[in-house]
Amino acid sequence: MKDFYLIGNLPGWVIALAALGVVALLAQQFVSLKKRLAVGPSTFLVLLRTCVYSVLIFFLFGPAIVENRVAKLRPPLTVLIDTSESMAFPASPKPMPEGKPGKSRIDVVKEKLLDGKESLIHKLSREYDLRLYRLGTSLEPISPDSIGQLKATDQGSRILELLQVAAKDSPPQSALLIFSDGITNGDKKTLDGSPPLSIPVFAVDVGETEGFTDARIADLRAPEFAFRGREFKVDLTIQTSGLKGKTIPVYFNRGKNLITSRTINVDADLFEQKITLSFTPRDLGPHSFNVAIPNQPGEQITGNNQKEFKVDVRRDKVRVLTLSGSPAWNYRFLRMAMKQDPLIELVSFVFLRTPTDSVDVPENQLSLIPFPIDDIFLEELKNFDVVVFDDFSHRAYFNPVYLDRVRDFVRDGGGLAMFGGSRAFDAGGYADSSLKEVLPVELDGKGSYQTQAMLRPVLTASGKAHPVTRLLPDPKANEEAWNKMPPLTAFNRIRAARGETLLTAGDGSADNAPLLTVGRFGKGRTMALMSDEAWRWNFIAVGNRETPQNHLKLIRQAVRWLAQEPSFEQVQIHPIPLSRPGEKVAIKLRVLKDDFTPTAQASVQLRVMGPDGDPVIVSTTADTEEGEYTGDFTPTKDGSYRVEAEASLAGKALGKDKTSFSVAFPYGETDDGRPRPELLKKIAETSHGSFFSINDWNEKTFDQIEAKLESQAPSQIVERRQTRLWSTFWPFAFVLVLLGVEWWMRRTWGLI
Amino acid sequence: MDRRNFIRLISRGLVTAALWPRLGQAADAKDKRPIQFTFAQIKYRGGDWNPHPLAVTPLMEELMLRTSVDAATARREVSHTDRDLFSYPFLYITGKYEFEPFSQDEIDVLRRFVSYGGFLLIDDALGQAGYGFDKAMRREMQRVLPGSEFKRLPSGHAALRSYYLMRRIGGVRMVNSFLEGINVGNSTPVVYCQNDLGGAWERDQLGKWTNPCTPGGEEQRRDAFHLGINLILYAMTENYKDDLIHVPFIRKRLTR
């Protein structure tokens, strides 16, 4: 396209002055010519000269021809095809004839792009500078030839984030064409707060919402851990589509056992309800729970009808049961130590009266209560963590079956401690009881309770590192603390220690007899303190201006060790974070010897059980940090996995631990299959694009896109050329011709 | 004596001889069991620290008769500076008259004693508020536990239900119908009675009560014994009777 412009830069008054000068010159020339020629020829010659001067004056304006060469390019267009897992869902909720599977959403897109005499993708490639991507958790460029092989396998769809990325990478006059079901599960789920897109988006919706039927557990919030005996709550959000008028049960299970159920009455096509379930755990350790909705008729997606979660049940307090044969100072200071410890919940019974004691008032004037022996030993024993027999003889009160229960309690993981006195150990008749095999001492019925001694506690090699007797972290300071402990004046002599002796009675007459021993029986732990005067380590220490804290610590640490508090375990699996399928998980654990120092020589067996329940043996290696071991495991499925570890050293078991961890895809792509055309419409509106349904796509759709792009993306000027007339041949030739004609006429008329 | 009566007499003698060791053993059995409780009494300067020298044995006998505690029948006399003071977590102090102020060391010892688990029973043998022993004791306790004050123990205090459910307290005279105490944390390691409990416990060597109890007579004395037993058991079991498991039973009995 050519245009004429005046591009001179002389001021107007200069040109006007020049023009006036030219007029004066022409007038003078006319007057001069008229003297020699007739009016006609004079006028003709002046006219010729006028033309020449006019051309020259015209050139003062700087006339030029500007040529715009407009080359129309192919506009850029970016096509995004959603290949997330939700695109594998059926495109239509309508049932297919003869039970045939319906087309998936990705199949419908592929069909639209590839079918026909001239496929849509071919047309787009011809008319546009096309860039093609698959869209899921990221954008991946693909070629038109690979569209036929596309599969809906991406674990998530970050539509809103990736549209921003695509718009930023595209040239200004381009557009985006996206084929998607509108399900987005990136960090952004709505357009609120998002910056506007810089280029228009043509959104093509895939997947019909009419008739879409689904019930799902949209959201589940459960605590990671809970306390035994305390209720915890689980908050759920149930969402349904297309189930108006139905009554749907929701089941809350632990493993395969039903805990409770609720019923939901669906009163809308798009329905949502929040419910809260609760459970009070009784058993410690990790537990797997699930919440499930039965599959509803016509439901297309059933994988989102169930959600699993795990809760680690811990004890909030260590429950201790003490039985004391009589009121005693040992009981007072034992009670004081336990009551001051917020972790310990104490239930104690003190036998204030024996059957031989006589009473001088009616029973109702005494504060004595009947000892609930059946309740305690036949029903409630399992709810305690530790049982303490404090100078208590079973003879006067116990049926042997109660002691059998205590034995079973320890075997199943409970803790048992016996404190000495005139009613304990052999003196208490335990050599003939079922506790004989449980206690960490050997009883032969001949042991005795001795007084009038002065016994100092002496720490053994085992006692120096054992968590019960490790009162101070520094070994030397710990030993000094024990050396300063006040002497005892009474102790129970027993035949021998069976377990590990932590303290001996240091005195000539005591012959270093065991004073404090610990052991194991079945899954439980036991302790024997062969004196009823441990209270002296507290109160006499106060009298000596020493700290009573050592006695308090001894009691608390003994309780924790007996209750198998995790920090006192010799094998501990470190917490395992949430993982993804296909991602390697490093399972780390710590192993300590019996003296609670780390060991790199342990033999560790590690087992992982997946959602299918099949155990996998995982080999472990010792880390550079002594006592630490690692085993690598790669889960292949999502779900809950259980880990069990056992360690031994030189053939002797050190301990066990177990835990569980969850494996899940982070996006929850298949949780909600309902297409979201409303999101795609909003994206199109806010970006000044257009929205289409893939079922309504036809030839006009393509033209509409083209027209919109044309109006928003004008032709580009590729080249602009400017030519001054003064530099061209023809105006110059014209001036020469005029001058030539004038010369010829002058010559003809004899002026030259 | 005829043959029948002679045989009867010999038979009784043989039976008595056969039983005598056993009866002796039964009486001595508790004496041979290890001592769990010793009644320790504080000696101080000035005043009269020992107004009732024979008060303890009757109380100990009663304690052993009624409860499972094995106690020494004789008291132990201790001073504040005795090296083995802390071997006796229960201390008793009584008197009638003003006494010399405790030294600073004695104050420190008593403070540690009651702050770290010991129990102190204060028994005013004169019963005159603001005078004599009462005046001196209150003065000294202010030095032992500065800022603390004696407060009336509520009727539901654990010390009043540690063995007997006490609705009254006894003593030689009823100066107060209540006990006072100083609390440290959740317990009451200092208890004060102005009714002369020791005077009510005391029995002379012939077994006769030394002091009449007025106005309640022997019932009032019995309350004094019950209170003594309760305070000893409270010292040895602390707030045991405040544990939840006891509450419904006690409540039920008290409302009858």
Side-chain angles (χ1 to χ4, degrees), chain B residues 6 20 44-45 50 70 74 137 167 206 229 241:
Chain B
F6 177 74
W20 184 256
Y44 52 83
R45 296 177 300 278
N50 194 19
D70 295 320
M137 201 63 229
R167 296 172 198 268
L206 296 175
I229 288 171
K241 283 297 172 183

Side-chain angles (χ1 to χ4, degrees), chain A residues 663-731:
Chain A
V663 175
F665 293 107
Y667 294 101
E669 174 67 22
T670 53
D671 281 357
D672 180 6
R674 189 176 68 83
R676 297 288 198 275
E678 62 276 7
L679 176 67
L680 295 174
K681 263 185 206 161
K682 200 155 179 199
I683 292 171
E685 267 170 33
T686 53
S687 64
H688 306 291
S690 295
F691 170 83
F692 309 100
S693 167
I694 201 164
N695 291 335
D696 299 335
W697 185 290
N698 51 36
E699 273 300 321
K700 285 189 182 166
T701 313
F702 188 82
D703 295 337
Q704 281 172 26
I705 294 176
E706 202 172 18
K708 193 122 191 187
L709 275 175
E710 282 287 339
S711 65
Q712 292 190 352
S715 308
Q716 281 185 303
I717 297 169
V718 177
E719 198 179 344
R720 182 187 165 100
R721 191 187 289 180
Q722 182 178 290
T723 312
R724 283 182 184 265
L725 287 179
W726 175 252
S727 61
T728 59
F729 171 73
W730 291 111

Side-chain angles (χ1 to χ4, degrees), chain A residues 389-410:
Chain A
F389 283 7
D390 169 35
D391 189 18
F392 174 75
S393 170
H394 67 92
R395 284 193 193 119
Y397 309 102
F398 268 37
N399 189 302
V401 74
Y402 300 134
L403 290 184
D404 293 344
R405 290 296 177 114
V406 175
R407 179 198 58 206
D408 296 342
F409 163 80
V410 179

